[in-house]
Amino acid sequence: MIISVPEAVAKLQTGGIVAIPTETVYGLAGRIDDESALKQIFTVKQRPFFDPLIVHVADIATAKRLARDWPPVFDVLTSAFWPGPLTLITRKAELVSPLITSGLETVALRWPDHPVALQILRELQIPLAAPSANLFGKTSPTSAAHVEKEFSGAVPVVDGGESEIGVESTVLAYDASTPNVLHILRPGGISRPQIERVLLENNLNFDLVRTSSAASPGHLKAHYQPNCPVIILDDKPWTEEIRKRIEADLDRPFPYVHEMKLGASAQVAARKLYGEFRQFSEVQGGLIVITRTKDNTAPEWEAVWDRIERAASFTF
Ligand code: TXA
Ligand code: MG
């Protein structure tokens, strides 16, 4: 069901949940101070309660109120990248519900850059907890139509057009016990080179370390799964021999092969990725084949390949 901004605000006010557009992907939002709204998010997504949610705000003062620690490097990062596709993790303030953080002492904070999300946040005047608006482990939605399909129309959604970034935010954690390290828990809409440039410009000396966290299932293998097999070809052509090996392994025929062209721009590839996963998945007996070359593996491509690798069943 498509609803308007005033309808969304009214629903959220009374403890309902609503899918809202952001510049990365659509989110399934509920107010952070309503326990039943938070529980509904997990139920509707079929998401395990041990996977924490991101809190969305519309200004830095609110983010600071939700954080117990706010290291100076966050001022630099937020002035460069907020509003935008960067989520920051730090120790949480008392008032943040353990339902949001899955009982962790830390909270994930983001100021999204989408006019509709911001209008809703400003009218509501309460931050929103919102994971991506898809079933747990599945591909994130980048349009209102994707959300409608994912939940068979059962979740009200505000249509804000196609998400411009197309992959989720970069998740970056600060931990006072390793004060000169920033942990990239999930590569995303802000690339490592972008973060490195801002740190350098501000004479900040941090190691940017890719860290996998058990607290973040979004960072585990076999996430972001479309409904048909995805195959990565490492700089080699598709052949009948490869098809035969896949068919033998999965024990069924795959007559249709979609060779997904990533193109030359990481930004454009990210924007199109999930929509094409969904579109190609609709074909019974279809396979998605993606070729990795030296032209699409520069550091700006990290988020795109992270998602493709997690979606992929085979690499040849
Ligand atoms: O772009 C995005 O980030 C989208 C839009 C809607 O804002 N949201 C999103 O949420 O991707 P979600 O829940 O699908 O992914 C959030 C990731 C999860 O993998 C979760 O485990 C991790 O962030 N996360 C949240 N809080 C955390 C915490 N305190 N410590 C470690 N990881 C955390
Ligand atoms: Mg997600």
Side-chain angles (χ1 to χ4, degrees), residues 45 47 131-134 138 140 168 186 218 223-224:
K45 259 192 78 101
R47 179 178 176 118
S132 51
N134 52 278
K138 294 293 182 183
S140 297
E168 300 83 351
R186 176 177 74 184
H223 215 77
Y224 312 103

Side-chain angles (χ1 to χ4, degrees), residues 17-20 26-30 40-41 44-45 129-133 151 155:
I17 60 172
V18 173
I20 62 168
Y26 276 63
L28 186 59
Q40 277 180 72
I41 291 174
V44 167
K45 259 192 78 101
S132 51
F151 299 108
V155 171

Side-chain angles (χ1 to χ4, degrees), residues 15 17 31-42 49 97-100:
I17 60 172
R31 51 192 282 176
I32 61 162
D33 60 349
D34 189 305
E35 207 166 283
S36 99
L38 297 172
K39 285 183 178 158
Q40 277 180 72
I41 291 174
F42 287 93
F49 278 99
S97 162
L99 267 176
I100 294 171

Side-chain angles (χ1 to χ4, degrees), residues 142-164:
T142 52
S143 72
H146 292 168
V147 179
E148 293 264 81
K149 201 144 194 208
E150 187 83 359
F151 299 108
S152 312
V155 171
V157 50
V158 185
D159 190 351
E162 287 195 18
S163 297
E164 249 194 66

Side-chain angles (χ1 to χ4, degrees), residues 22 24-25 27 47 51-54 56 89 104 106-108 110 130-132 168-169 185-186 215-219:
T22 86
T24 56
V25 301
R47 179 178 176 118
D51 191 6
L53 306 176
I54 294 173
H56 297 72
I89 294 185
L104 295 172
T106 53
V107 62
R110 173 165 116 78
S132 51
E168 300 83 351
S169 61
L185 298 186
R186 176 177 74 184
S216 297
H219 321 129

